[in-house]
């Protein structure tokens, strides 16, 4: 199928040609025809599938065929995005696809002064891409209203829910005019998300692409068992050894992300971080530096990284595993874009092993276990003093351990039953944006039962297993 087969208006086809898009992606093939007919749509698709164009192109087509002035203090199309980065990216996509049309597009999100946005919106815009909080601020200040909306898009609905945007979302939906087209996208569709969609979609066309496991299949997945407090030494070593073009390093918390950047800097390795505590300008600068290849390592929390489309990410490093298995699939989906192969390396502390199991169940794949480097003790000893203090006393350091075995003292010592260090717990409390489902899958964590942990076939993890590593150019084990 070609774009010309879809019957899109001429300026749109021209813009696609200018972008060198040859053919619609599967989500575009499925979604564009019914959307052109004005149908509502419920789509299961992740970023990277081309879903932005799937909703942008037919909407632009609608505007090309039904030109009229944008209503004052309102918009004709509203796209809600959970994060600023994704909102900015969607706005840019609309600009690119609509570049040969006379169309006004605004992107608004929090963290930047509101007054400029008020001025920007006073004459009305055709397309508004917004995060829910800032949109409601503008509405509450009577600077904006939703009476002009003809097309409403809710993007990344599952992320919206995770970020606690449900109440604001419902308020927004109530203000929309009755007669409108609704588009609803989510990377996952558990019942609660489907119910949310059901509340405002009318007889929607259902489309679904790239079941999550297909991303996983394209990524060579590795894991190394390592004491939480020694992960920094492993990271420093990993980024030195791996042939990295660009790597995204995931931490669970904002403070954790900053810490990782600091300690990498201490080891002479440049990295930047993006997370919710950074100013918008800082986030934009960091992302640009990463995108343009000035900095190879971007440390991010899940929420900040979600939806970011950077090509050429060769490695995803999970400094900490997410406690929701689906999140892991989103993370590793940042690499292996557009048919390329990617590498994911997860650092698994003893209390994270249940998460690894849940991930392997979801992806129906086994991570290849990479041993710790031979000289790991030395690398740990070389950590800067500040890191050593952060690490605190090494529990039961006299016991010695197998190269692939978690340190004994870490099995429960100093952690309590919850499984996470107090520091990590307080960190997580700091991170208001943490997913509401954060506790799913936590059962059994840190119960001191590591020795009993086995893979899906009941074999102990310690044994080297064959899985994604069957690829001929699998990542070399990190060795000293
Ligand atoms: P999205 O899932 O919307 O974030 O899109 C992922 C990436 O695919 C973006 O960089 C788009 O520019 C690109 N893209 C979208 N549709 C196509 C297409 N039909 N052909 C080639 N690239 C595309």
């Amino acid at each position: 199928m070609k774009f010309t087969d879809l019957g899109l208006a001429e300026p749109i086809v021209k813009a696609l040609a200018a972008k060198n898009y040859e053919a619609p992606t599967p989500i575009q093939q499925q979604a564009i025809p019914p959307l052109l007919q004005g149908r509502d749509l419920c789509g299961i698709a992740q970023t990277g599938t081309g879903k932005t164009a799937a909703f942008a192109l037919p909407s632009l087509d609608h505007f090309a065929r039904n030109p009229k002035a944008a209503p004052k203090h309102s918009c004709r199309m509203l796209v809600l995005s959970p994060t600023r980065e994704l909102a900015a990216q969607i706005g840019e996509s609309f600009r690119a696809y609509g570049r040969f049309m006379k169309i006004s597009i605004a992107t608004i999100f929090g963290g930047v002064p509101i007054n400029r946005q008020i001025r920007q919106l006073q004459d009305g815009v055709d397309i508004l891409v917004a995060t829910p909080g800032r949109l409601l601020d503008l509405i509450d200040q009577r600077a904006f209203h939703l009476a002009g909306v003809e097309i409403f898009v809710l993007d990344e609905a599952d992320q919206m829910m995770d970020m606690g945007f449900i109440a604001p979302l419902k308020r927004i939906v109530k203000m929309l005019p009755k007669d409108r087209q609704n588009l609803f996208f989510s990377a996952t569709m558990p019942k609660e998300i489907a119910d949310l969609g059901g509340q405002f979609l009318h007889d929607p066309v259902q489309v679904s692409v790239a079941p999550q496991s297909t991303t996983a299949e394209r990524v060579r997945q590795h894991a190394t068992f390592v004491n939480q407090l020694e992960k920094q030494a492993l990271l420093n070593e990993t980024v030195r050894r791996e042939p990295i073009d660009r790597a995204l390093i995931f931490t669970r918390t904002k403070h954790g992300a900053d810490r990782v950047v600091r300690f990498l800097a201490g080891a002479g390795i440049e990295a930047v971080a993006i997370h919710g505590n950074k100013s918008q300008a800082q986030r934009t600068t960091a992302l640009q530096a990463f995108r343009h290849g000035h900095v190879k390592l971007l440390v991010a929390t899940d929420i900040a990284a979600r939806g970011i489309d950077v090509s050429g990410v060769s490695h995803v490093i999970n400094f900490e595993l997410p406690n929701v298995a689906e999140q892991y699939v989103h993370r590793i989906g940042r690499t292996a874009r557009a048919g390329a192969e990617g590498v994911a390396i997860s650092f698994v502390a003893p209390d994270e092993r249940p998460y690894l199991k849940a991930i392997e169940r979801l992806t129906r794949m086994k991570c290849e276990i990479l041993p710790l480097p031979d000289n790991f003790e030395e690398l740990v000893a070389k950590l800067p003093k500040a890191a050593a203090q952060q690490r605190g006393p090494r529990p039961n350091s006299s016991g010695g351990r197998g190269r692939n075995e978690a340190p004994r003292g870490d099995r429960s010592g100093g952690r309590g039953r919850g499984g996470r260090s107090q520091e990590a717990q307080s960190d997580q409390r700091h991170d208001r944006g943490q997913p509401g489902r954060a506790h799913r899958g936590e059962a059994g964590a840190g119960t001191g039962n590591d020795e009993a942990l086995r893979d899906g076939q009941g074999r102990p993890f310690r044994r080297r297993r064959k899985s994604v590593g069957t690829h001929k150019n699998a990542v070399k084990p990190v060795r000293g």
Side-chain angles (χ1 to χ4, degrees), residues 167-388:
L169 200 62
K170 287 188 173 161
R171 257 194 81 200
I172 291 168
V173 170
K174 269 199 196 132
M175 288 185 249
L176 293 168
K178 287 234 151 29
D179 189 17
R180 58 171 204 264
Q181 186 179 25
N182 298 294
L183 286 66
F184 182 83
F185 287 92
S186 191
T188 55
M189 197 61 70
K191 188 177 174 308
E192 60 206 328
I193 305 289
D195 288 349
L196 175 72
Q199 288 175 24
F200 65 90
L201 291 164
H202 303 291
D203 186 25
V205 178
Q206 310 274 350
V207 300
S208 169
V209 291
Q212 293 184 342
S213 54
T214 45
T215 308
E217 278 159 20
R218 283 188 283 127
V219 179
R220 282 176 279 145
Q221 298 169 66
H222 308 276
T224 297
F225 296 129
V226 56
N227 180 346
Q228 176 67 26
L229 304 172
E230 295 169 349
K231 285 183 175 180
Q232 191 69 44
L234 184 60
L235 180 67
N236 295 356
E237 181 65 6
T238 303
V239 299
R240 284 216 170 92
R241 299 271 156 158
E242 286 292 317
I244 288 172
D245 292 328
R246 278 195 193 86
L248 255 172
I249 300 166
F250 283 96
T251 60
R252 257 204 251 164
T253 68
K254 302 168 196 174
H255 299 285
D258 286 336
R259 234 178 352 248
V260 164
V261 170
R262 255 194 332 270
F263 288 129
L264 281 171
I269 302 164
E270 197 187 357
V272 286
I274 53 164
H275 55 64
N277 280 1
K278 298 270 182 192
S279 71
Q280 188 53 40
Q282 286 171 319
R283 287 160 78 159
T284 308
T285 310
L287 208 54
Q288 293 288 64
F290 186 60
R291 214 170 242 149
H292 297 312
H294 304 318
V295 178
K296 279 185 171 188
L297 309 177
L298 180 68
V299 187
T301 54
D302 286 306
I303 284 167
R306 187 77 183 262
I308 288 171
D309 177 35
V310 177
S311 55
V313 174
S314 57
H315 290 67
V316 167
I317 300 174
N318 294 306
F319 191 82
E320 276 133 3
L321 276 182
N323 41 17
V324 176
E326 284 90 349
Q327 196 68 52
Y328 172 87
V329 183
H330 292 314
R331 286 184 182 184
I332 68 168
R334 318 279 79 210
T335 177
R337 289 255 163 130
E341 274 202 349
V343 177
I345 303 172
S346 300
F347 297 173
V348 186
D351 62 340
E352 292 174 304
R353 291 188 184 200
Y355 306 155
L356 182 66
K357 274 190 156 181
I359 287 162
E360 292 185 326
R361 263 198 309 275
L362 177 77
T363 59
R364 296 202 205 105
M365 294 183 76
K366 293 270 157 223
C367 289
E368 183 188 354
I369 305 302
L370 299 181
L372 287 167
D374 285 333
N375 63 339
F376 191 60
E377 301 281 326
E378 256 170 62
L379 296 172
V380 170
K382 273 195 219 147
L383 275 186
K385 215 167 161 213

Side-chain angles (χ1 to χ4, degrees), residues 12 36 57-67 76 150-151:
I12 301 171
L36 287 173
L57 303 180
S59 312
L60 287 167
D61 186 89
H62 171 78
F63 296 126
R65 291 175 204 281
N66 304 281
R76 296 183 68 190
E150 297 161 46
I151 305 171

Side-chain angles (χ1 to χ4, degrees), residues 3 19 21 23-25 28 46-53 97 309:
F3 276 110
K19 278 201 76 107
Y21 287 9
T25 65
Q28 292 161 7
Q46 300 175 35
T47 30
T49 55
K51 77 177 153 80
T52 314
Y97 303 139
D309 177 35

Side-chain angles (χ1 to χ4, degrees), residues 6 78 108 169 182 297 450 454:
L6 293 169
L78 173 65
I108 58 158
L169 200 62
N182 298 294
L297 309 177
D450 297 325
R454 292 175 188 268

Side-chain angles (χ1 to χ4, degrees), residues 89-129:
Q89 214 164 275
I90 295 171
E92 276 168 32
S93 296
F94 268 102
R95 279 185 196 98
Y97 303 139
R99 63 187 275 204
F100 298 113
M101 293 171 59
K102 232 178 139 244
I103 195 119
S104 52
I105 300 152
T107 309
I108 58 158
F109 39 70
V112 292
I114 199 166
N115 286 340
R116 229 187 77 206
Q117 295 177 343
I118 292 176
R119 281 197 300 278
Q120 200 184 354
L121 296 175
Q122 63 193 8
D123 290 333
V125 289
D126 292 307
I127 297 155
L128 178 68
V129 188

